[in-house]
Coordinates of all heavy atoms in Angstrom, one line a residue:
M1 N 3.9 47.1 -26.5 CA 2.9 46.1 -26.9 C 3.6 44.7 -26.7 O 2.9 43.8 -26.2 CB 2.6 46.3 -28.4 CG 1.6 45.3 -28.9 SD 0.0 45.5 -28.1 CE -1.0 44.5 -29.1
R2 N 4.8 44.6 -27.0 CA 5.5 43.4 -26.8 C 5.5 42.9 -25.3 O 5.4 41.8 -25.0 CB 7.0 43.5 -27.3 CG 7.7 42.2 -27.2 CD 9.1 42.3 -27.9 NE 9.8 41.0 -27.8 CZ 11.0 40.9 -27.6 NH1 11.8 42.0 -27.5 NH2 11.6 39.7 -27.6
K3 N 5.7 43.9 -24.4 CA 5.7 43.6 -23.0 C 4.4 43.1 -22.5 O 4.3 42.3 -21.7 CB 6.2 44.9 -22.2 CG 7.6 45.2 -22.3 CD 8.0 46.4 -21.5 CE 9.5 46.7 -21.7 NZ 9.9 47.8 -20.9
I4 N 3.3 43.7 -23.1 CA 2.0 43.3 -22.7 C 1.7 41.8 -23.2 O 1.2 41.0 -22.4 CB 0.9 44.2 -23.3 CG1 1.0 45.6 -22.7 CG2 -0.5 43.7 -23.2 CD1 0.1 46.7 -23.3
I5 N 2.1 41.5 -24.4 CA 2.0 40.1 -24.9 C 2.7 39.1 -24.0 O 2.2 38.1 -23.7 CB 2.4 40.1 -26.4 CG1 1.4 40.9 -27.2 CG2 2.5 38.6 -26.8 CD1 1.8 41.0 -28.7
I6 N 4.0 39.5 -23.6 CA 4.8 38.6 -22.8 C 4.1 38.5 -21.4 O 4.0 37.4 -20.9 CB 6.2 39.2 -22.6 CG1 6.9 39.0 -24.0 CG2 7.0 38.4 -21.5 CD1 8.3 39.7 -24.0
A7 N 3.6 39.6 -20.8 CA 3.0 39.5 -19.5 C 1.7 38.6 -19.6 O 1.5 37.8 -18.7 CB 2.6 40.9 -19.1
V8 N 0.9 38.8 -20.6 CA -0.3 38.0 -20.7 C 0.1 36.5 -20.9 O -0.5 35.6 -20.3 CB -1.2 38.5 -21.9 CG1 -2.3 37.5 -22.2 CG2 -1.8 39.8 -21.6
G9 N 1.1 36.2 -21.7 CA 1.6 34.9 -21.9 C 2.0 34.2 -20.6 O 1.7 33.1 -20.3
L10 N 2.8 35.0 -19.8 CA 3.2 34.4 -18.5 C 2.0 34.2 -17.6 O 2.0 33.2 -16.8 CB 4.2 35.4 -17.9 CG 5.6 35.5 -18.6 CD1 6.5 36.6 -18.0 CD2 6.3 34.1 -18.5
L11 N 1.1 35.1 -17.6 CA -0.1 34.9 -16.8 C -0.9 33.7 -17.1 O -1.3 32.9 -16.3 CB -1.0 36.2 -16.9 CG -2.3 36.1 -16.1 CD1 -2.0 36.0 -14.6 CD2 -3.2 37.3 -16.4
V12 N -1.1 33.5 -18.4 CA -1.8 32.3 -18.9 C -1.0 31.0 -18.5 O -1.6 30.0 -18.0 CB -2.0 32.4 -20.4 CG1 -2.5 31.0 -21.0 CG2 -3.0 33.5 -20.8
A13 N 0.3 31.0 -18.7 CA 1.1 29.8 -18.4 C 1.1 29.5 -16.9 O 0.9 28.4 -16.5 CB 2.6 30.1 -18.9
S14 N 1.2 30.6 -16.1 CA 1.2 30.3 -14.6 C -0.2 29.9 -14.2 O -0.3 29.0 -13.3 CB 1.6 31.6 -13.9 OG 0.7 32.6 -14.0
S15 N -1.3 30.4 -14.8 CA -2.6 29.9 -14.4 C -2.8 28.5 -14.8 O -3.5 27.7 -14.1 CB -3.7 30.8 -15.2 OG -3.6 32.1 -14.7
S16 N -2.3 28.1 -15.9 CA -2.4 26.7 -16.4 C -1.7 25.7 -15.4 O -2.2 24.7 -15.1 CB -1.8 26.5 -17.8 OG -2.6 27.3 -18.7
V17 N -0.5 26.1 -15.0 CA 0.3 25.3 -14.1 C -0.5 25.2 -12.7 O -0.6 24.1 -12.2 CB 1.7 25.9 -13.9 CG1 2.4 25.2 -12.7 CG2 2.5 25.7 -15.1
F18 N -1.0 26.3 -12.2 CA -1.7 26.3 -11.0 C -3.0 25.5 -11.1 O -3.3 24.7 -10.2 CB -2.1 27.8 -10.6 CG -2.8 27.8 -9.3 CD1 -2.1 27.6 -8.1 CD2 -4.1 28.2 -9.2 CE1 -2.8 27.6 -6.9 CE2 -4.8 28.2 -8.0 CZ -4.1 28.0 -6.8
A19 N -3.7 25.6 -12.2 CA -4.9 24.8 -12.4 C -4.6 23.3 -12.4 O -5.4 22.5 -11.9 CB -5.7 25.2 -13.6
G20 N -3.5 23.0 -13.0 CA -3.1 21.5 -13.0 C -2.8 21.0 -11.7 O -2.9 19.8 -11.5
T21 N -2.4 21.8 -10.7 CA -2.1 21.3 -9.4 C -3.3 21.3 -8.5 O -3.3 20.6 -7.5 CB -1.0 22.1 -8.7 OG1 -1.4 23.4 -8.6 CG2 0.3 22.0 -9.5
M22 N -4.3 22.0 -8.8 CA -5.5 22.1 -8.0 C -6.3 20.7 -8.1 O -6.3 20.1 -9.2 CB -6.5 23.2 -8.4 CG -5.9 24.5 -8.0 SD -7.1 25.8 -8.5 CE -8.4 25.5 -7.4
G23 N -6.8 20.2 -7.0 CA -7.5 19.0 -7.1 C -6.6 17.8 -7.2 O -7.0 16.7 -7.4
N24 N -5.3 18.0 -7.0 CA -4.3 16.9 -7.1 C -4.0 16.4 -5.7 O -2.8 16.1 -5.5 CB -3.1 17.5 -7.8 CG -2.6 16.5 -8.9 OD1 -3.2 15.5 -9.2 ND2 -1.5 16.9 -9.6
D25 N -5.0 16.3 -4.9 CA -4.7 15.9 -3.5 C -4.8 14.4 -3.3 O -4.7 13.9 -2.2 CB -5.7 16.7 -2.6 CG -7.1 16.4 -3.0 OD1 -7.4 15.8 -4.0 OD2 -8.0 16.9 -2.2
L26 N -5.0 13.7 -4.4 CA -5.1 12.2 -4.3 C -3.7 11.6 -4.6 O -3.1 12.1 -5.6 CB -6.2 11.8 -5.3 CG -6.8 10.4 -5.1 CD1 -7.5 10.4 -3.7 CD2 -7.9 10.2 -6.1
D27 N -3.3 10.7 -3.8 CA -2.0 10.1 -4.0 C -2.1 8.5 -4.0 O -2.9 8.0 -3.2 CB -1.0 10.5 -2.9 CG 0.4 10.1 -3.1 OD1 0.8 9.8 -4.3 OD2 1.1 10.1 -2.1
L28 N -1.3 7.9 -4.8 CA -1.3 6.4 -4.9 C 0.1 6.0 -4.7 O 1.0 6.3 -5.4 CB -1.8 6.0 -6.3 CG -2.0 4.5 -6.5 CD1 -3.1 4.0 -5.6 CD2 -2.4 4.2 -8.0
R29 N 0.3 5.2 -3.6 CA 1.7 4.7 -3.3 C 1.7 3.2 -3.5 O 0.8 2.5 -3.0 CB 2.0 5.1 -1.8 CG 2.1 6.6 -1.6 CD 2.5 6.9 -0.2 NE 2.5 8.4 -0.1 CZ 2.7 9.0 1.1 NH1 2.8 8.3 2.2 NH2 2.7 10.3 1.2
V30 N 2.7 2.7 -4.1 CA 2.8 1.3 -4.4 C 4.2 0.8 -4.0 O 5.2 1.4 -4.4 CB 2.7 1.1 -6.0 CG1 2.8 -0.4 -6.3 CG2 1.3 1.6 -6.5
V31 N 4.2 -0.2 -3.2 CA 5.5 -0.9 -2.8 C 5.4 -2.3 -3.3 O 4.5 -3.1 -2.9 CB 5.6 -0.9 -1.3 CG1 6.9 -1.6 -0.8 CG2 5.7 0.5 -0.7
T32 N 6.3 -2.7 -4.2 CA 6.2 -4.0 -4.8 C 7.1 -5.0 -4.0 O 8.2 -4.6 -3.5 CB 6.7 -4.0 -6.3 OG1 8.0 -3.5 -6.4 CG2 5.8 -3.2 -7.1
V33 N 6.7 -6.2 -3.9 CA 7.4 -7.3 -3.2 C 7.3 -8.4 -4.2 O 6.5 -8.4 -5.2 CB 6.9 -7.6 -1.8 CG1 7.1 -6.5 -0.9 CG2 5.4 -7.9 -1.9
T34 N 8.0 -9.5 -3.9 CA 8.0 -10.6 -4.9 C 6.7 -11.3 -5.1 O 6.4 -11.8 -6.2 CB 9.1 -11.7 -4.5 OG1 8.8 -12.1 -3.2 CG2 10.5 -11.1 -4.6
S35 N 5.8 -11.3 -4.1 CA 4.6 -12.0 -4.3 C 3.4 -11.1 -4.6 O 2.3 -11.5 -4.8 CB 4.2 -12.7 -3.0 OG 4.2 -11.8 -1.9
G36 N 3.7 -9.8 -4.7 CA 2.6 -8.8 -5.1 C 3.0 -7.4 -4.8 O 4.2 -7.1 -4.7
S37 N 2.0 -6.6 -4.5 CA 2.3 -5.2 -4.2 C 1.3 -4.6 -3.1 O 0.2 -5.0 -3.1 CB 2.0 -4.3 -5.5 OG 2.9 -4.7 -6.5
W38 N 1.9 -3.8 -2.2 CA 1.1 -3.1 -1.3 C 0.7 -1.8 -1.9 O 1.6 -1.0 -2.4 CB 1.9 -2.8 0.0 CG 2.0 -4.0 0.9 CD1 3.0 -4.8 1.0 CD2 0.9 -4.5 1.7 NE1 2.8 -5.8 1.9 CE2 1.5 -5.6 2.4 CE3 -0.4 -4.1 2.0 CZ2 0.7 -6.4 3.3 CZ3 -1.1 -4.9 2.9 CH2 -0.6 -6.0 3.5
V39 N -0.5 -1.4 -2.0 CA -1.0 -0.2 -2.6 C -1.7 0.6 -1.5 O -2.6 0.0 -0.7 CB -2.0 -0.5 -3.7 CG1 -2.5 0.8 -4.4 CG2 -1.3 -1.4 -4.8
Q40 N -1.4 1.9 -1.4 CA -2.1 2.8 -0.4 C -2.6 4.0 -1.2 O -1.9 4.6 -2.0 CB -1.1 3.2 0.6 CG -1.8 4.0 1.7 CD -0.9 4.4 2.9 OE1 0.3 4.6 2.7 NE2 -1.5 4.5 4.1
V41 N -3.9 4.3 -0.9 CA -4.5 5.5 -1.5 C -4.7 6.5 -0.4 O -5.2 6.2 0.7 CB -5.9 5.1 -2.0 CG1 -6.6 6.3 -2.7 CG2 -5.8 3.9 -3.0
L42 N -4.2 7.7 -0.7 CA -4.2 8.8 0.3 C -4.9 10.0 -0.4 O -4.8 10.3 -1.6 CB -2.8 9.2 0.7 CG -2.0 8.2 1.4 CD1 -0.5 8.6 1.4 CD2 -2.5 7.9 2.7
Q43 N -5.6 10.8 0.4 CA -6.2 12.0 0.0 C -5.9 13.1 1.0 O -6.2 13.0 2.2 CB -7.7 11.9 -0.1 CG -8.4 13.2 -0.7 CD -9.8 13.0 -1.1 OE1 -10.4 11.9 -0.8 NE2 -10.4 13.9 -1.7
N44 N -5.2 14.1 0.6 CA -4.7 15.2 1.5 C -3.8 14.6 2.6 O -3.8 15.0 3.7 CB -5.8 16.0 2.1 CG -6.5 16.8 1.0 OD1 -5.9 17.4 0.1 ND2 -7.8 16.9 1.2
G45 N -3.1 13.5 2.3 CA -2.2 12.8 3.2 C -2.9 11.9 4.2 O -2.2 11.2 4.9
E46 N -4.2 11.7 4.1 CA -5.0 10.8 4.9 C -5.4 9.6 4.2 O -5.7 9.7 3.0 CB -6.2 11.5 5.5 CG -5.9 12.8 6.3 CD -5.2 12.4 7.6 OE1 -5.6 11.3 8.2 OE2 -4.3 13.1 8.0
P47 N -5.4 8.4 4.8 CA -5.8 7.2 4.2 C -7.2 7.2 3.7 O -8.1 7.8 4.3 CB -5.7 6.1 5.3 CG -4.9 6.7 6.3 CD -5.0 8.2 6.2
V48 N -7.5 6.6 2.5 CA -8.8 6.6 1.9 C -9.3 5.1 2.1 O -8.8 4.2 1.5 CB -8.8 7.0 0.5 CG1 -10.2 6.8 -0.2 CG2 -8.3 8.4 0.3
E49 N -10.4 5.0 2.9 CA -11.0 3.7 3.1 C -12.1 3.5 2.0 O -12.8 4.4 1.6 CB -11.7 3.7 4.4 CG -12.4 2.3 4.7 CD -13.0 2.3 6.1 OE1 -13.0 3.3 6.8 OE2 -13.6 1.2 6.4
G50 N -12.2 2.3 1.5 CA -13.2 2.0 0.5 C -12.9 2.3 -1.0 O -13.7 2.1 -1.8
A51 N -11.6 2.7 -1.3 CA -11.2 2.9 -2.7 C -11.1 1.6 -3.4 O -10.6 0.6 -2.8 CB -10.0 3.7 -2.7
T52 N -11.5 1.5 -4.6 CA -11.4 0.3 -5.4 C -10.1 0.3 -6.2 O -9.9 1.3 -7.0 CB -12.6 0.1 -6.3 OG1 -13.8 0.1 -5.6 CG2 -12.5 -1.2 -7.1
V53 N -9.2 -0.7 -6.0 CA -7.9 -0.7 -6.6 C -7.9 -1.9 -7.6 O -8.3 -3.0 -7.3 CB -6.8 -0.9 -5.6 CG1 -5.4 -1.0 -6.3 CG2 -6.8 0.3 -4.6
S54 N -7.3 -1.6 -8.8 CA -7.2 -2.7 -9.8 C -5.8 -2.5 -10.5 O -5.2 -1.5 -10.4 CB -8.3 -2.6 -10.8 OG -8.3 -1.3 -11.5
L55 N -5.4 -3.6 -11.1 CA -4.1 -3.7 -11.8 C -4.4 -4.0 -13.3 O -5.2 -4.9 -13.5 CB -3.2 -4.8 -11.2 CG -1.9 -5.1 -11.9 CD1 -1.0 -3.8 -11.9 CD2 -1.2 -6.2 -11.2
S56 N -3.8 -3.3 -14.2 CA -4.0 -3.5 -15.6 C -3.7 -4.9 -15.9 O -2.8 -5.5 -15.4 CB -3.2 -2.5 -16.4 OG -1.8 -2.7 -16.2
G57 N -4.5 -5.5 -16.8 CA -4.3 -6.9 -17.3 C -4.9 -7.9 -16.4 O -4.7 -9.1 -16.6
T58 N -5.6 -7.5 -15.3 CA -6.2 -8.5 -14.4 C -7.7 -8.1 -14.3 O -8.1 -7.0 -14.6 CB -5.6 -8.4 -13.0 OG1 -5.9 -7.2 -12.4 CG2 -4.1 -8.7 -13.0
Q59 N -8.5 -9.1 -13.8 CA -9.9 -8.9 -13.7 C -10.3 -8.6 -12.2 O -11.5 -8.3 -11.9 CB -10.7 -10.1 -14.2 CG -10.4 -10.4 -15.6 CD -11.0 -9.4 -16.6 OE1 -12.0 -8.8 -16.3 NE2 -10.3 -9.0 -17.6
T60 N -9.4 -8.7 -11.3 CA -9.6 -8.6 -9.9 C -9.6 -7.2 -9.4 O -8.8 -6.4 -9.8 CB -8.6 -9.4 -9.1 OG1 -8.5 -10.7 -9.6 CG2 -9.0 -9.5 -7.7
E61 N -10.6 -6.8 -8.5 CA -10.6 -5.5 -7.9 C -10.5 -5.7 -6.4 O -10.9 -6.7 -5.9 CB -11.9 -4.8 -8.2 CG -12.1 -4.4 -9.6 CD -13.3 -3.5 -9.9 OE1 -14.3 -3.7 -9.1 OE2 -13.4 -2.8 -10.8
H62 N -9.8 -4.8 -5.8 CA -9.5 -4.9 -4.3 C -10.0 -3.6 -3.7 O -10.0 -2.5 -4.3 CB -8.0 -5.0 -4.1 CG -7.4 -6.2 -4.8 ND1 -7.4 -7.5 -4.4 CD2 -6.8 -6.2 -6.1 CE1 -6.8 -8.2 -5.3 NE2 -6.5 -7.5 -6.3
V63 N -10.5 -3.6 -2.4 CA -11.0 -2.4 -1.7 C -10.0 -2.1 -0.6 O -9.7 -3.0 0.2 CB -12.4 -2.7 -1.3 CG1 -12.9 -1.5 -0.5 CG2 -13.3 -3.0 -2.5
T64 N -9.7 -0.9 -0.4 CA -8.8 -0.5 0.6 C -9.5 -0.5 2.0 O -10.6 -0.3 2.1 CB -8.2 0.9 0.4 OG1 -9.3 1.9 0.3 CG2 -7.4 1.0 -0.8
S65 N -8.7 -0.9 3.0 CA -9.2 -0.9 4.4 C -9.1 0.5 5.0 O -8.8 1.5 4.3 CB -8.3 -1.9 5.2 OG -7.0 -1.4 5.3
E66 N -9.4 0.6 6.3 CA -9.4 1.9 7.0 C -8.1 2.6 6.9 O -8.0 3.8 7.1 CB -9.9 1.8 8.4 CG -9.0 0.9 9.3 CD -9.6 0.7 10.7 OE1 -10.8 0.8 10.8 OE2 -8.8 0.5 11.6
N67 N -7.0 1.9 6.8 CA -5.6 2.5 6.7 C -5.3 2.9 5.2 O -4.2 3.3 4.9 CB -4.6 1.6 7.3 CG -4.3 0.3 6.6 OD1 -4.9 0.0 5.6 ND2 -3.5 -0.5 7.2
G68 N -6.3 2.7 4.3 CA -6.1 3.1 2.9 C -5.2 2.1 2.1 O -4.9 2.4 1.0
R69 N -4.9 0.9 2.7 CA -4.0 0.0 2.1 C -4.8 -1.3 1.6 O -5.8 -1.7 2.2 CB -2.9 -0.5 3.0 CG -1.9 0.6 3.3 CD -0.8 0.1 4.1 NE 0.0 1.2 4.5 CZ 1.2 1.1 4.9 NH1 1.7 -0.1 5.2 NH2 2.0 2.2 5.2
V70 N -4.2 -1.9 0.6 CA -4.6 -3.2 0.2 C -3.4 -4.0 -0.4 O -2.5 -3.3 -1.0 CB -5.8 -3.1 -0.8 CG1 -5.3 -2.4 -2.1 CG2 -6.5 -4.4 -1.1
F71 N -3.4 -5.3 -0.3 CA -2.3 -6.1 -0.9 C -2.9 -6.7 -2.2 O -3.9 -7.4 -2.2 CB -1.8 -7.2 0.0 CG -0.7 -7.9 -0.5 CD1 0.6 -7.4 -0.5 CD2 -0.8 -9.2 -1.1 CE1 1.7 -8.0 -1.0 CE2 0.3 -9.9 -1.6 CZ 1.5 -9.3 -1.6
V72 N -2.2 -6.5 -3.3 CA -2.6 -7.1 -4.6 C -1.6 -8.2 -4.9 O -0.4 -7.9 -5.1 CB -2.6 -6.0 -5.7 CG1 -3.0 -6.6 -7.0 CG2 -3.6 -4.9 -5.3
M73 N -2.1 -9.4 -5.0 CA -1.2 -10.6 -5.2 C -0.8 -10.6 -6.7 O -1.6 -10.2 -7.6 CB -2.0 -11.8 -4.9 CG -1.2 -13.1 -5.0 SD -0.1 -13.2 -3.6 CE -0.9 -14.5 -2.8
A74 N 0.5 -10.9 -6.9 CA 1.0 -11.0 -8.3 C 0.4 -12.2 -9.0 O 0.4 -13.3 -8.5 CB 2.5 -11.1 -8.3
E75 N -0.3 -12.0 -10.1 CA -0.9 -13.1 -10.9 C 0.0 -13.6 -11.9 O -0.2 -14.7 -12.4 CB -2.2 -12.6 -11.5 CG -3.2 -12.2 -10.5 CD -4.6 -11.8 -11.1 OE1 -4.7 -11.9 -12.3 OE2 -5.4 -11.3 -10.4
Q76 N 1.1 -12.9 -12.3 CA 2.0 -13.4 -13.3 C 3.4 -13.4 -12.8 O 3.8 -12.5 -12.2 CB 1.9 -12.5 -14.6 CG 0.5 -12.5 -15.2 CD 0.4 -11.5 -16.3 OE1 1.3 -10.8 -16.7 NE2 -0.8 -11.5 -16.9
P77 N 4.1 -14.5 -12.9 CA 5.4 -14.7 -12.3 C 6.6 -14.1 -12.9 O 7.7 -14.3 -12.5 CB 5.5 -16.3 -12.3 CG 4.8 -16.7 -13.6 CD 3.7 -15.7 -13.7
Y78 N 6.4 -13.3 -13.9 CA 7.6 -12.7 -14.6 C 7.5 -11.2 -14.5 O 6.5 -10.6 -14.2 CB 7.6 -13.1 -16.0 CG 6.3 -12.8 -16.8 CD1 6.1 -11.6 -17.4 CD2 5.4 -13.8 -16.9 CE1 4.9 -11.4 -18.1 CE2 4.2 -13.6 -17.6 CZ 4.0 -12.4 -18.1 OH 2.8 -12.1 -18.8
T79 N 8.7 -10.6 -14.7 CA 8.8 -9.1 -14.6 C 8.0 -8.5 -15.7 O 8.1 -8.8 -16.8 CB 10.2 -8.6 -14.6 OG1 11.0 -9.3 -13.6 CG2 10.4 -7.1 -14.5
R80 N 7.2 -7.5 -15.3 CA 6.4 -6.7 -16.3 C 6.1 -5.4 -15.7 O 6.2 -5.1 -14.5 CB 5.2 -7.4 -16.7 CG 4.1 -7.5 -15.6 CD 2.9 -8.2 -16.1 NE 1.8 -8.3 -15.1 CZ 0.8 -7.4 -15.1 NH1 0.7 -6.5 -16.0 NH2 -0.1 -7.5 -14.2
S81 N 5.6 -4.5 -16.5 CA 5.1 -3.2 -16.0 C 3.6 -3.3 -15.9 O 3.0 -4.1 -16.7 CB 5.6 -2.0 -16.8 OG 5.0 -2.1 -18.1
G82 N 3.1 -2.6 -15.0 CA 1.6 -2.6 -14.9 C 1.1 -1.2 -14.4 O 1.9 -0.4 -13.8
T83 N -0.1 -1.0 -14.5 CA -0.7 0.3 -14.0 C -1.7 0.0 -13.0 O -2.7 -0.7 -13.2 CB -1.3 1.1 -15.2 OG1 -0.4 1.4 -16.2 CG2 -1.9 2.4 -14.7
F84 N -1.5 0.5 -11.8 CA -2.5 0.4 -10.7 C -3.4 1.6 -10.8 O -3.0 2.7 -11.1 CB -1.8 0.4 -9.3 CG -1.2 -0.9 -8.9 CD1 0.2 -1.1 -9.1 CD2 -1.9 -1.9 -8.4 CE1 0.8 -2.3 -8.8 CE2 -1.4 -3.1 -8.1 CZ 0.0 -3.3 -8.3
S85 N -4.7 1.3 -10.7 CA -5.7 2.4 -10.7 C -6.5 2.3 -9.5 O -6.8 1.2 -9.0 CB -6.6 2.3 -11.9 OG -5.8 2.4 -13.1
A86 N -6.9 3.5 -9.0 CA -7.8 3.5 -7.8 C -8.9 4.5 -8.0 O -8.7 5.5 -8.6 CB -7.0 3.9 -6.5
V87 N -10.1 4.1 -7.6 CA -11.3 4.9 -7.7 C -11.9 5.1 -6.3 O -12.2 4.1 -5.6 CB -12.4 4.3 -8.6 CG1 -13.6 5.2 -8.7 CG2 -11.8 4.1 -10.0
T88 N -12.0 6.3 -5.8 CA -12.6 6.5 -4.5 C -14.1 6.4 -4.5 O -14.7 6.4 -5.6 CB -12.2 8.0 -4.0 OG1 -12.7 8.9 -4.9 CG2 -10.7 8.1 -3.9
T89 N -14.7 6.4 -3.4 CA -16.1 6.2 -3.3 C -16.9 7.4 -3.9 O -18.0 7.3 -4.3 CB -16.6 6.0 -1.8 OG1 -16.1 7.1 -1.1 CG2 -16.1 4.7 -1.3
D90 N -16.2 8.6 -4.0 CA -16.8 9.7 -4.6 C -16.5 9.9 -6.1 O -16.8 10.9 -6.7 CB -16.5 11.0 -3.9 CG -15.0 11.4 -3.9 OD1 -14.2 10.6 -4.4 OD2 -14.7 12.4 -3.3
G91 N -15.9 8.8 -6.7 CA -15.6 8.8 -8.1 C -14.3 9.4 -8.6 O -14.1 9.4 -9.8
R92 N -13.5 9.8 -7.7 CA -12.2 10.4 -8.1 C -11.2 9.2 -8.5 O -11.3 8.2 -7.8 CB -11.6 11.2 -7.0 CG -12.5 12.4 -6.8 CD -12.0 13.4 -5.8 NE -10.6 13.6 -6.2 CZ -9.8 14.5 -5.6 NH1 -10.3 15.2 -4.6 NH2 -8.6 14.7 -6.0
E93 N -10.4 9.5 -9.5 CA -9.5 8.4 -10.0 C -8.1 8.8 -10.0 O -7.8 10.0 -10.2 CB -9.9 8.0 -11.4 CG -11.3 7.4 -11.5 CD -11.6 7.0 -13.0 OE1 -10.7 6.4 -13.6 OE2 -12.7 7.2 -13.4
I94 N -7.2 7.9 -9.8 CA -5.8 8.1 -9.9 C -5.1 6.8 -10.4 O -5.6 5.7 -10.1 CB -5.1 8.6 -8.5 CG1 -3.7 9.0 -8.7 CG2 -5.3 7.5 -7.5 CD1 -3.1 9.7 -7.5
S95 N -4.0 6.9 -11.1 CA -3.3 5.7 -11.5 C -1.8 5.9 -11.5 O -1.4 7.1 -11.5 CB -3.8 5.3 -12.9 OG -3.5 6.3 -13.9
K96 N -1.1 4.8 -11.4 CA 0.4 4.9 -11.4 C 0.9 3.7 -12.0 O 0.5 2.5 -11.8 CB 0.8 4.9 -9.9 CG 2.3 5.1 -9.7 CD 2.6 5.3 -8.2 CE 3.9 6.0 -8.0 NZ 4.1 6.3 -6.6
R97 N 1.9 3.9 -12.9 CA 2.6 2.8 -13.6 C 3.8 2.4 -12.9 O 4.6 3.2 -12.4 CB 3.0 3.3 -15.0 CG 3.5 2.2 -15.9 CD 3.4 2.7 -17.4 NE 3.8 1.6 -18.3 CZ 3.1 0.7 -18.7 NH1 1.8 0.6 -18.3 NH2 3.5 -0.2 -19.6
V98 N 4.0 1.1 -12.7 CA 5.1 0.6 -11.9 C 5.7 -0.7 -12.6 O 5.0 -1.3 -13.4 CB 4.7 0.2 -10.4 CG1 4.2 1.4 -9.7 CG2 3.6 -0.9 -10.5
V99 N 6.9 -1.0 -12.2 CA 7.5 -2.3 -12.6 C 7.3 -3.3 -11.6 O 7.5 -3.1 -10.4 CB 9.0 -2.1 -12.9 CG1 9.7 -3.5 -13.2 CG2 9.3 -1.1 -14.0
L100 N 6.7 -4.4 -12.0 CA 6.4 -5.5 -11.0 C 7.5 -6.6 -11.1 O 7.7 -7.2 -12.2 CB 5.0 -6.1 -11.4 CG 3.9 -5.1 -11.4 CD1 2.7 -5.7 -12.0 CD2 3.6 -4.6 -10.0
P101 N 8.2 -6.8 -10.1 CA 9.3 -7.8 -10.1 C 8.8 -9.2 -10.2 O 7.7 -9.5 -9.7 CB 10.1 -7.6 -8.8 CG 9.0 -7.0 -7.9 CD 8.1 -6.2 -8.7
R102 N 9.6 -10.1 -10.8 CA 9.1 -11.5 -10.9 C 9.5 -12.2 -9.6 O 10.4 -11.8 -8.9 CB 9.8 -12.1 -12.1 CG 11.2 -12.4 -12.0 CD 11.7 -13.1 -13.3 NE 13.2 -13.4 -13.2 CZ 13.7 -14.5 -12.7 NH1 12.9 -15.4 -12.3 NH2 15.0 -14.6 -12.6
D103 N 8.8 -13.3 -9.4 CA 9.1 -14.1 -8.2 C 10.4 -14.8 -8.5 O 10.5 -15.6 -9.4 CB 7.9 -15.1 -8.0 CG 8.1 -15.9 -6.7 OD1 9.1 -15.7 -6.1 OD2 7.1 -16.6 -6.4
R104 N 11.4 -14.6 -7.6 CA 12.7 -15.2 -7.8 C 12.8 -16.6 -7.2 O 13.9 -17.2 -7.2 CB 13.8 -14.3 -7.2 CG 13.8 -12.9 -7.9 CD 15.1 -12.2 -7.6 NE 15.0 -10.9 -8.1 CZ 15.4 -10.5 -9.3 NH1 15.9 -11.4 -10.2 NH2 15.3 -9.3 -9.7
N105 N 11.7 -17.1 -6.7 CA 11.7 -18.5 -6.2 C 11.5 -19.6 -7.2 O 11.5 -20.7 -6.9 CB 10.6 -18.6 -5.1 CG 10.9 -17.7 -3.9 OD1 12.1 -17.5 -3.6 ND2 9.9 -17.3 -3.3
D106 N 11.4 -19.2 -8.5 CA 11.2 -20.1 -9.6 C 12.4 -21.0 -9.8 O 13.5 -20.5 -9.8 CB 10.8 -19.4 -10.9 CG 9.4 -18.8 -10.8 OD1 8.7 -19.1 -9.8 OD2 9.1 -17.9 -11.6

């Protein structure tokens, strides 16, 4: 009986892990520079055109070009963390928390 319980437990755990990775084909890449950040949205490794990208704490939304990229200008001149969020045209969402460097030209 103990072996059956362990086997069922392992099956449930592996199913949960597998289910968590399914549909995880959306990727958000962020490269920060002193004046802002380059954000790229990918789905299955391919650029996503028309995704809406926003940064927490700002009111501005940006739309990715055909290469899946958009430049988001830094609105605050000091180091802080922020969360970039992207929504594809079919409503799928992804977000990523990053550290935004401050502009060192001050």
Side-chain angles (χ1 to χ4, degrees):
M1 181 69 171
R2 184 172 180 219
K3 288 182 181 181
I4 292 174
I5 292 173
I6 291 172
V8 170
L10 289 173
L11 178 63
V12 168
S14 66
S15 296
S16 297
V17 169
F18 181 70
T21 60
M22 288 182 66
N24 227 1
D25 56 352
L26 205 56
D27 188 22
L28 187 64
R29 296 182 182 171
V30 180
V31 177
T32 57
V33 294
T34 54
S35 57
S37 299
W38 283 102
V39 180
Q40 185 176 33
V41 182
L42 302 165
Q43 185 170 6
N44 295 320
E46 297 295 321
V48 176
E49 182 178 4
T52 304
V53 176
S54 60
L55 174 61
S56 61
T58 67
Q59 299 295 322
T60 309
E61 291 184 335
H62 309 272
V63 178
T64 58
S65 63
E66 64 185 23
N67 65 4
R69 291 184 185 196
V70 66
F71 186 77
V72 178
M73 188 75 111
E75 294 183 8
Q76 298 177 359
Y78 52 87
T79 302
R80 68 180 185 98
S81 63
T83 302
F84 283 98
S85 299
V87 180
T88 62
T89 55
D90 63 358
R92 298 185 49 174
E93 297 183 40
I94 188 169
S95 60
K96 186 173 198 175
R97 190 164 182 81
V98 298
V99 173
L100 305 168
R102 71 178 178 93
D103 187 356
R104 299 196 185 271
N105 295 330
D106 293 345

